[in-house]
Amino acid sequence: MPARKHNEELPERLSKAEINELPLVRFQGAVRIADDSKSVARLVQRLKKQRVLGFDVESKPTFRKGESHPVALLQLATSNEAFLIQLQNIENLGPVQEILENPGIGKTGVAIRDDVKKLFEKYPFNPEGFVELSHWASKLGIVTTGLRSLTAIFLGKRISKGAQLSN
């Protein structure tokens, strides 16, 4: 299934089997890693020039009810670069905060509210310009609005969820 055309009818959902038949898509761009204030400042210079970024955060997985871990990784991505900011050695967001508070730079994701809340718990900031993709997908009549499903519906590709619970 190729990427959908503008006027093509969108399905409400695709089954797991239908998604699993799609070709796997992998990010082909450069991955940039920052783990201290200096390297973060270098990455931010590239990020500030963007109009839209993919946004996600990761925490150590929890396996017990009521257990929670602080956010450990901030991921921001363009179409050809992924920026991974390891947060354990960073006291404050510094220049990244400018991006997160800039309404002129769209930050897109799925279940973004929870990610923003988790990041805010560790680093208070004034979130601006965040766009929940599942909200817009719902407005188009799509029922299953997870990232894997949306990738399949809009791009005709499958993303692997295999390495999702690593420590």
Side-chain angles (χ1 to χ4, degrees), residues 48-67:
K48 279 177 157 176
K49 299 173 185 169
Q50 303 301 314
R51 304 261 303 132
V52 178
L53 296 168
F55 172 88
D56 193 23
V57 300
E58 300 295 337
S59 301
K60 182 177 175 181
T62 58
F63 299 101
R64 290 189 200 101
K65 188 175 175 139
E67 186 179 59

Side-chain angles (χ1 to χ4, degrees), residues 6-74:
H6 177 65
N7 59 354
E8 189 176 342
E9 186 74 24
L10 295 170
E12 287 184 351
R13 65 173 57 88
L14 293 176
S15 70
K16 231 180 215 183
E18 288 173 307
I19 292 173
N20 286 336
E21 289 176 15
L22 296 173
L24 196 60
V25 65
R26 295 194 189 278
F27 182 69
Q28 298 295 316
V31 177
R32 315 262 182 233
I33 299 172
D35 60 1
D36 60 29
S37 298
K38 233 182 224 182
S39 56
V40 168
R42 280 194 302 272
L43 294 185
V44 166
Q45 293 311 309
R46 297 171 96 109
L47 291 166
K48 279 177 157 176
K49 299 173 185 169
Q50 303 301 314
R51 304 261 303 132
V52 178
L53 296 168
F55 172 88
D56 193 23
V57 300
E58 300 295 337
S59 301
K60 182 177 175 181
T62 58
F63 299 101
R64 290 189 200 101
K65 188 175 175 139
E67 186 179 59
S68 178
H69 298 286
V71 66
L73 181 71
L74 169 61

